[in-house]
Amino acid sequence: MDRFEFYAPTKVYFGKKQETKVGEILEKSCYKKVLVHYGGNSAKKSGLLDIVCNSLKEHNVDYVTLGGVVSNPVLSKVREGISICKEENIDFILAVGGGSVLDSAKAIGYGVMNEGDVWDYYLGKKEPKACLPVGVVLTIAATGSEMSNSSVITNEEGCYKRALNHELGICKFAILNPELTYTLPNYQTESGCTDILMHTMERYFNKVKTLELNDQFAESLMRVVIMNAKILKDHPNDYDARAEVMWAASLSHNDITGSRTYGDWACHQLEHELGGMFQVAHGAGLAAIWASWARYVYQEKPERFARYARNVWDIREADDIKAALAGIDATEKFFKEIDMPINLHELLNRDITDKEIKELSYKCSFEENRTIGKFKVLTIEDMEKIYMMAK
C-alpha cells in the first residue's frame, strides 16, 4: 500500500431542517459579513434563499448576495465575486446550491486571499497561500465538493476547464438536507449519481496494492448508489434514497474510499474538456466517456476490473478477461437504465466531428504538455483514440 494523507475536517449537519441553523453556526464562529452565493432561480423559487437569509438576519450576521452561477461555473462570475468580497469586506462565503456554486465559491475565496489573477492558480502557475472560509447549504448530491479539496472553473476565453485541488479550499461546514434535492429534474439527479460513482471508480481503478478495507468501502458505496439511483428514477421524493445518495456523494470524494493520490482521474480529465467546450452536465459527460476508457485500458490490470465486476455487479465468471468485459457492459447497461448517455452522440444530440475530437485532445493534453491517467498513462494520441471510440 502506497503512503497517503487523509484530511476531512468539514463539520456536517445532516438531515431535515438543518438549513435553518446556518445563522446560528456563523454567529457562533464570529463571522461578521457573508457573501451568499447561489445559482439561478431555483433557490429563490423553492424558498431556500429566504430561509437562509432570514436565519442570518435572526442571528445578526450581515450579508450580500451574488447569484447567477451556471453549470460549469465560469471565471467571469468568480472575478465578479472577488470584487464584491473586497469591496464589502466579506469574511465568509456561503454557497447555496450544488457543486457548481461551491466550485465558484471556493474560487472566489482563493481570489480574495491571494495576489494576482485567480486563473493563474487554476493553471498551476502559482500555489494559493490562503482561502476565504467557505461553507455550503447543499441542494444536489453529486460532486462531493462539500467534503473535498476540489474546485473546477471554466475560462470562457477558449473554453478551458481547469481544476484546483488544495486543502485550503475544504469547507468549514456542510449542511446536507436530502429534502432540498427533491425538486431536481431526473437528468440532474442521475447525472449526480453517476458523478458519485465516478469519484470512487477513479480511486478504485489503480495499479497499486490497495487496502482491503478501502476496496470494500468502495464496492459497498457503489452498490448502494446503483440501487438508489434506480429507486430515484421512479420515486424522486423517496427521502431514504435521497439520504443514501447524498451521504454517498460526500464520502465518495473525501478519500474514505481510497486516496486521490493513487487514483487514475483520466475520465475526469477527458470530461472536463467536454464540459468546457460543450457545457454538458459533468456526470452525463462521464457516463458518455467511461466505457470507452475502460475498454481501452482494462488489459493493463484485468483482475482489477474482474474484481469490480464480481463484487459490484455480482458477475459469476471465473475468467478475468471475460469478467472484466462483462463488468464494463453491466456499467454501460446501468447508465442506459438511468437515462444517461453512453456515447458522445447521445451526450451532444449530434455527431461530434473529427476536428472537435482533435481540439478536445489538444486541450486535454494541455497543448501536448502532459499525459493523463495512472492505470494506463495516456498520451494525446491515446486521448484522441478514446474520444473516437466514444463517438
Side-chain angles (χ1 to χ4, degrees), residues 55 101 152 221 283 308:
S55 179
V101 176
V152 184
L221 186 144
Y308 164 75

mmCIF file of all heavy atoms in Angstrom, residues 55 101 152 221 283 308:
data_model
loop_
_atom_site.group_PDB
_atom_site.id
_atom_site.type_symbol
_atom_site.label_atom_id
_atom_site.label_comp_id
_atom_site.label_asym_id
_atom_site.label_seq_id
_atom_site.Cartn_x
_atom_site.Cartn_y
_atom_site.Cartn_z
ATOM 1 N N SER A 55 -32.372 33.348 8.430
ATOM 2 C CA SER A 55 -31.576 32.789 9.517
ATOM 3 C C SER A 55 -30.382 33.683 9.831
ATOM 4 O O SER A 55 -30.035 33.894 11.003
ATOM 5 C CB SER A 55 -31.104 31.379 9.151
ATOM 6 O OG SER A 55 -30.319 30.808 10.176
ATOM 7 N N VAL A 101 -21.955 25.893 -7.750
ATOM 8 C CA VAL A 101 -21.939 27.056 -6.857
ATOM 9 C C VAL A 101 -20.776 26.944 -5.881
ATOM 10 O O VAL A 101 -20.071 27.929 -5.604
ATOM 11 C CB VAL A 101 -23.274 27.181 -6.101
ATOM 12 C CG1 VAL A 101 -23.223 28.334 -5.114
ATOM 13 C CG2 VAL A 101 -24.425 27.381 -7.086
ATOM 14 N N VAL A 152 -13.446 23.384 -9.673
ATOM 15 C CA VAL A 152 -13.226 23.354 -11.126
ATOM 16 C C VAL A 152 -13.915 24.569 -11.750
ATOM 17 O O VAL A 152 -15.099 24.813 -11.508
ATOM 18 C CB VAL A 152 -13.783 22.064 -11.758
ATOM 19 C CG1 VAL A 152 -13.468 22.017 -13.241
ATOM 20 C CG2 VAL A 152 -13.223 20.832 -11.059
ATOM 21 N N LEU A 221 -20.153 1.292 -1.351
ATOM 22 C CA LEU A 221 -20.704 2.586 -1.753
ATOM 23 C C LEU A 221 -21.264 2.522 -3.165
ATOM 24 O O LEU A 221 -22.362 3.034 -3.437
ATOM 25 C CB LEU A 221 -19.633 3.671 -1.638
ATOM 26 C CG LEU A 221 -20.094 5.098 -1.899
ATOM 27 C CD1 LEU A 221 -19.366 6.086 -0.982
ATOM 28 C CD2 LEU A 221 -19.899 5.516 -3.356
ATOM 29 N N GLY A 283 -21.700 14.720 -14.808
ATOM 30 C CA GLY A 283 -21.950 13.288 -14.670
ATOM 31 C C GLY A 283 -22.326 12.639 -15.980
ATOM 32 O O GLY A 283 -21.890 11.517 -16.282
ATOM 33 N N TYR A 308 -14.099 -5.772 -9.710
ATOM 34 C CA TYR A 308 -15.210 -4.811 -9.786
ATOM 35 C C TYR A 308 -16.467 -5.505 -10.307
ATOM 36 O O TYR A 308 -17.570 -5.343 -9.755
ATOM 37 C CB TYR A 308 -14.797 -3.657 -10.691
ATOM 38 C CG TYR A 308 -15.907 -2.774 -11.190
ATOM 39 C CD1 TYR A 308 -16.518 -1.844 -10.354
ATOM 40 C CD2 TYR A 308 -16.340 -2.840 -12.518
ATOM 41 C CE1 TYR A 308 -17.530 -1.007 -10.824
ATOM 42 C CE2 TYR A 308 -17.341 -2.015 -12.986
ATOM 43 C CZ TYR A 308 -17.937 -1.102 -12.140
ATOM 44 O OH TYR A 308 -18.943 -0.290 -12.604
#
